Amino acid sequence: MTIQTIISKAVKRLKLEGKLLTPDFYAEAFCKEAQKANMQVEDCQHIDKFNAMLNKDLQKELKKYNIKTMHEFVRLLISKLNRTNPTQCSNLLESQTLLTKRVLQVITVLHNKEAGELAQKTLELIEHGAQPEQLDQFRQRWVNFLTTYDDAFLQKLKEYGDVDTRDLQKTIENLHLECVGAQENQSVDLQKISKLLIASFVPSIASSVNDTIAALSEKIQKNPELLEHESVENEIRSAISLRIALDKETVKEMVESIDGVLDKLSLRLIDMIESSDNSNAEIQKIKLELESYTEESTVNFALAHKKLFTIAVALEKNTHLLSKDLQGHSEEVKALSKKVRTLEKELEEAKQESKEDFLTKLYNKRALDEFLTMKEAEYKRYGHNFVIVMFDIDFFKKVNDTYGHEAGDAVLAAFAKILKKESRTVDIVGRFGGEEFLALLSETDLEGGVTFAQKVRKHVEKTRFVYKGKRIKVTVSAGVAQRSDHISLDATINSADEYLYKAKKEGRNRVEYKK
């Protein structure tokens, strides 16, 4: 095994143990991996060298305390030296403790929430007589804070004055607040904005505007000041979703219309090629049929029919050449058709993957947002009720910390299978983020949603989750809300999330809902 391999394993060990890549932690991990690989590295032999210089009593004491690292070795020697003058050591320790408390008290009044909370917790720890292990843990938390602290947010104030990252008070005093007031006082032409907004409501393909969209457009046009009201926001969102739905429906009708023409055209061409004797006459019939399709079609799709008619004219001029060519290359045509079908399948799979969570194989948050928007539009237009169930795996962080992130991923994948199995074909389930999942139940009331959530919860509770021979205790909590009980989609999602929080707060492994 090479030194480079040991270095890689040492870095991996630090990641698995959740430690930062500091010199002390890295040296400790490197020596452990070197010892594990039976490789003698001079930098890892310092303790043995120094140990040989000590007298036998100190050597026995080192062995008794199982000293493994230079950090532990130095701390032991310092404690031995401090004990040579107990009074001085005690006074020094008391002074250092008081100094630490004062510094922490100063930090609590500074303008940083995270640092203030950490300082307060550290003060409480010192007041209650902390153990060395606890102090080491908090020392590491302070190292983490210092390493990850980012004051780039102050740069947002640059447009209002000079920013001094070392002196927050001076930065505030240098701000030109009159600029802020000037921006706030700038007038907004609501009349112009309302015209643009109403123009965006109109479907780009559909030939008519839905009554809901027309009513909202008229209301905004008469009173543009309504744009400043929060209550109009949801109406605008629903109108835009409805506009998109109308466009999609029109496109669907157009595609179905042209598909019918193409299917008939394809069948007639195949018949023509097989007979091959009266091809010109057959093409003439196709032309006449295309003309009739243009007249009979209920969709304003004359331009597409005209293009197909032009194709038929071109086919008429090259009938004999086309027949001969197709007959001579029928196998090539079949191969190309097969390739097209394969490419279409791959394209469909790629589309599905873009909406699929890579770990659980359920819908990802982007896909869930699209489905929620569609269901909201259906509710607004047709009154179709739906239920949202939010799930969260209990103590998931503990699973990661105890068994590792790979075990956590295995638990998420297993729960996703249970969720998929318990849901109906019409239900939509996906990973909302982290260990949180969302189920969108169509045409379902609150009682049905609670029944579904309880089935999933009981299934999880009875399932044996095993990873590398170790059984992992897993439970799940859920919050349920139905759309008809709330004023908006966002309110429904927030309600389900609040009930989920209530379920976790009141003991976990339970389902909460409006009772």
Side-chain angles (χ1 to χ4, degrees), residues 262-280:
L262 289 174
D263 287 342
K264 291 186 178 182
L265 178 60
S266 299
L267 291 174
R268 297 304 297 273
L269 281 174
I270 292 171
D271 292 339
M272 177 200 72
I273 292 168
E274 289 178 350
S275 60
S276 186
D277 292 332
N278 54 349
S279 300
N280 285 323

Side-chain angles (χ1 to χ4, degrees), residues 421-447:
K421 184 176 181 180
E422 295 294 348
S423 61
R424 304 170 300 175
T425 305
V426 296
D427 295 333
I428 297 166
V429 293
R431 186 179 180 188
F432 203 64
E435 66 271 22
E436 197 169 47
F437 293 77
L438 182 145
L440 177 58
L441 312 181
S442 303
E443 300 293 339
T444 305
D445 57 11
L446 183 62
E447 183 179 355

Side-chain angles (χ1 to χ4, degrees), residues 175-191:
L175 293 181
H176 303 298
L177 298 179
E178 63 274 7
C179 297
V180 181
Q183 291 185 357
E184 292 178 350
N185 293 328
Q186 288 180 353
S187 60
V188 178
D189 190 346
L190 293 178
Q191 187 70 33

Side-chain angles (χ1 to χ4, degrees), residues 257-505:
S257 174
I258 197 169
D259 279 347
V261 175
L262 289 174
D263 287 342
K264 291 186 178 182
L265 178 60
S266 299
L267 291 174
R268 297 304 297 273
L269 281 174
I270 292 171
D271 292 339
M272 177 200 72
I273 292 168
E274 289 178 350
S275 60
S276 186
D277 292 332
N278 54 349
S279 300
N280 285 323
E282 290 295 320
I283 291 294
Q284 290 288 347
K285 291 180 181 179
I286 293 173
K287 287 167 58 180
L288 293 175
E289 288 184 9
L290 286 173
E291 290 176 343
S292 66
Y293 295 153
T294 305
E295 296 172 356
E296 297 172 0
S297 177
T298 57
V299 180
N300 186 14
F301 216 15
L303 181 59
H305 286 299
K306 185 177 180 181
K307 290 183 178 179
L308 289 175
F309 181 75
T310 303
I311 294 173
V313 173
L315 287 173
E316 182 181 9
K317 294 179 181 179
N318 297 279
T319 301
H320 296 294
L321 180 61
L322 175 64
S323 299
K324 185 177 179 180
D325 192 30
L326 289 177
Q327 288 173 349
H329 298 85
S330 59
E331 292 300 323
E332 292 182 20
V333 172
K334 291 179 181 178
L336 287 172
S337 298
K338 184 178 180 181
K339 187 174 181 180
V340 168
R341 287 194 296 271
T342 302
L343 290 173
E344 289 175 343
K345 183 178 179 181
E346 291 177 352
L347 178 61
E348 184 62 28
E349 290 176 353
K351 290 180 179 178
Q352 292 298 324
E353 289 176 358
S354 67
K355 296 182 178 180
E356 183 182 271
D357 179 63
F358 74 96
L359 176 61
T360 62
K361 306 305 178 184
L362 300 179
Y363 287 115
N364 58 23
K365 189 176 186 303
R366 183 165 69 88
L368 288 174
D369 288 340
E370 291 180 6
F371 284 121
L372 286 167
T373 301
M374 291 172 57
K375 289 298 178 185
E376 176 68 6
E378 290 180 5
Y379 177 81
K380 289 285 189 180
R381 189 175 185 184
Y382 306 111
H384 294 171
N385 192 27
F386 59 88
V387 171
I388 293 176
V389 184
M390 299 289 288
F391 293 97
D392 190 275
I393 298 175
D394 298 327
F395 300 111
F396 184 72
K397 185 177 184 300
K398 185 177 179 181
V399 173
N400 279 336
D401 293 342
T402 304
Y403 304 98
H405 288 280
E406 291 182 359
D409 290 347
V411 169
L412 290 174
F415 174 72
K417 291 180 180 178
I418 293 174
L419 194 58
K420 189 71 174 177
K421 184 176 181 180
E422 295 294 348
S423 61
R424 304 170 300 175
T425 305
V426 296
D427 295 333
I428 297 166
V429 293
R431 186 179 180 188
F432 203 64
E435 66 271 22
E436 197 169 47
F437 293 77
L438 182 145
L440 177 58
L441 312 181
S442 303
E443 300 293 339
T444 305
D445 57 11
L446 183 62
E447 183 179 355
V450 173
T451 301
F452 169 76
Q454 290 287 11
K455 283 174 61 179
V456 173
R457 184 192 66 78
K458 292 176 181 178
H459 193 153
V460 172
E461 188 177 27
K462 293 178 181 179
T463 301
R464 291 172 57 91
F465 291 83
V466 179
Y467 179 75
K468 291 185 177 180
K470 295 181 180 180
R471 183 174 181 180
I472 303 174
K473 176 67 174 178
V474 177
T475 59
V476 67
S477 299
V480 186
Q482 67 175 343
R483 175 63 180 88
S484 59
D485 288 341
H486 301 85
I487 62 172
S488 67
L489 173 63
D490 289 341
T492 309
I493 296 173
N494 291 336
S495 179
D497 197 50
E498 288 174 2
Y499 281 121
L500 170 61
Y501 176 76
K502 181 180 179 183
K504 298 180 78 68
K505 186 177 180 181

